[in-house]
Amino acid sequence: MEVGQGNMGARHDAEGWIGVSETAQEMLGRTLIERPCLIAVPPLHRVPLRPGNVVELVGPSASAKSEILLQAAINCILPNVCNGVFFGGMQRLVMYFDLDCSFDVQRFSNSLKKRIADACGNSTFTFGGNQRLLEDLDPLAEQLHFNEDVYFSCMRRFSYIRCYNSYEFLASLKTIRRQMQKESEAHGVGVLYLMIDSISAFYWTDRASSMWATGGNRNCLSFRSVTEAVIQEIRKLLDVLPVLVLATKATILGVGSSACENDRNTFQGASSGSINSNKSYGSHNRAGFDLYKEYMPLAWQALVTQQVLLQVKGDNIVRDEKSLPIYMSTWLLPVLNLSDMFVVEEAGISLLS
């Protein structure tokens, strides 16, 4: 009798668990509110992105990877509308991990000032001494004060974290959840972007360290074990907080590879877990794009939900009497049958038609 009652209770619990608690419309409405699609800066605008995604920007050195992070951060910390002025931002917080120690704060500041000045209809953005010369012009002086307030409020929504090795990065990830909560409470808005520049910064140093490790310490110092611990912390963070991860990664094999090398890397990718097989990129072998070898552990590759390849086109274009290099972006995951050409100007990234 007790056994029968136990079976009936288990069945009732199972039916209650699979029962309908909300309609599909309610579920979609709740999802879109909790994790809405984001307005991404070019060239990330081609694919809908939402919190919970992990986007990898991969490419050789000087291919505008960090610049895309910088412009995405500016778009995030800017307000949408402030005192009737449309800025087009999201007024959210950004946590920026600088693992390469190459963050250009001057470029970040100047680009943010240019965006604010353009939105306000100003040709310049002025502080300090120049402002005192314009005190008699009340409307312009008020505009300068307004620009200054917007600038500093934006900068307060940007958090910068520099790490010098994998262990500092791992320790920061373990404590960042509490920091995010404090920042959210202080500003009244949550963190939207978790940026990592670059996820492969310590690849060679960790590999070299593992060669010197002995005995039981070898596993602790291996690149794979440290990276998997980092990935586990990122997963934990994504489970509890609606953030979007943007990470850059440098290529170790790319432009200039011969056809034989490309074929060999494509063949080896089937067994070594390279991007050619996992991301369905090598099979396309589109003209004008070089294949490269994936070197990050499979755990990281499985975490990535979107992937963009960035390259330098090789040609230059003249804008305002300045010769600017042309960059090219290609979506590897998901695979899109188009590429975007863009240049980096003072105000940010501009697409070429």
Side-chain angles (χ1 to χ4, degrees), residues 28 32 120 123 275 301 317 327:
L28 289 174
L32 292 176
C120 295
S123 59
I275 194 173
Q301 298 179 48
I317 187 173
Y327 303 97

Side-chain angles (χ1 to χ4, degrees), residues 11-293:
R11 178 179 179 182
H12 179 73
D13 292 341
E15 290 177 349
W17 183 77
I18 65 176
V20 177
S21 59
E22 60 180 349
T23 65
Q25 183 178 1
E26 292 172 342
M27 184 273 293
L28 289 174
R30 174 176 55 80
T31 304
L32 292 176
I33 292 175
E34 295 176 353
R35 296 174 180 260
C37 290
L38 307 178
I39 303 174
V41 298
L44 304 180
H45 65 297
R46 293 294 185 182
V47 174
L49 302 177
R50 64 177 66 249
N53 291 154
V54 178
V55 183
E56 184 184 73
L57 307 177
V58 57
S61 178
S63 57
K65 300 187 298 295
S66 298
E67 180 68 25
I68 294 175
L69 293 190
L70 185 148
Q71 296 302 327
I74 291 175
N75 196 59
C76 181
I77 61 179
L78 276 170
N80 185 27
V81 178
C82 183
N83 289 350
V85 179
F86 178 76
F87 294 95
M90 293 178 280
Q91 198 167 342
R92 299 286 295 276
L93 307 180
V94 173
M95 306 294 288
Y96 191 103
F97 280 97
D98 183 16
L99 308 187
D100 273 335
C101 298
S102 59
F103 179 72
D104 190 346
V105 64
Q106 187 66 42
R107 166 63 181 165
F108 180 76
S109 176
N110 291 341
S111 188
L112 176 59
K113 293 175 184 178
K114 187 70 167 62
R115 284 283 302 273
I116 296 173
D118 289 346
C120 295
N122 299 335
S123 59
T124 59
F125 191 91
T126 332
F127 289 123
N130 292 338
Q131 184 175 332
R132 297 192 188 95
L133 299 177
L134 302 172
E135 286 178 351
D136 295 335
L137 302 176
D138 290 341
L140 184 55
E142 291 179 2
Q143 185 67 68
L144 293 172
H145 280 295
F146 172 68
N147 287 1
E148 187 178 70
D149 291 341
V150 173
Y151 172 80
F152 285 118
S153 65
C154 289
M155 293 298 284
R156 283 190 290 268
R157 287 190 284 269
F158 181 83
S159 297
Y160 173 84
I161 306 168
R162 175 178 291 183
C163 300
Y164 294 95
N165 55 60
S166 293
Y167 299 104
E168 288 187 4
F169 182 38
L170 181 58
S172 298
L173 286 175
K174 288 181 175 292
T175 59
I176 195 175
R177 189 186 310 176
R178 180 56 183 162
Q179 182 178 351
M180 285 182 172
Q181 292 174 348
K182 288 183 178 180
E183 293 291 336
S184 298
E185 293 171 359
H187 294 86
V189 293
V191 176
L192 182 60
Y193 282 129
L194 177 67
M195 299 184 173
I196 306 172
D197 188 21
S198 91
I199 192 63
S200 59
F202 308 125
Y203 174 75
W204 295 111
T205 55
D206 288 344
R207 284 197 59 179
S209 298
S210 65
M211 295 175 61
W212 293 98
T214 57
N217 292 329
R218 181 176 181 82
N219 183 54
C220 297
L221 293 173
S222 71
F223 172 73
R224 185 180 301 274
S225 62
V226 174
T227 304
E228 289 177 353
V230 166
I231 294 167
Q232 184 179 7
E233 292 301 323
I234 295 176
R235 287 189 184 276
K236 291 179 180 178
L237 194 64
L238 293 176
D239 287 340
V240 297
L241 294 176
V243 297
L244 187 148
V245 179
L246 287 177
T248 64
K249 183 183 70 179
T251 55
I252 59 174
L253 179 65
V255 178
S257 302
S258 66
C260 293
E261 288 175 331
N262 287 340
D263 291 340
R264 182 169 64 253
N265 292 327
T266 303
F267 175 79
Q268 292 176 347
S271 59
S272 64
S274 73
I275 194 173
N276 301 326
S277 59
N278 288 340
K279 307 302 183 186
S280 301
Y281 180 63
S283 58
H284 289 74
N285 199 17
R286 295 167 55 196
F289 297 94
D290 292 316
L291 305 180
Y292 72 94
K293 181 177 178 59

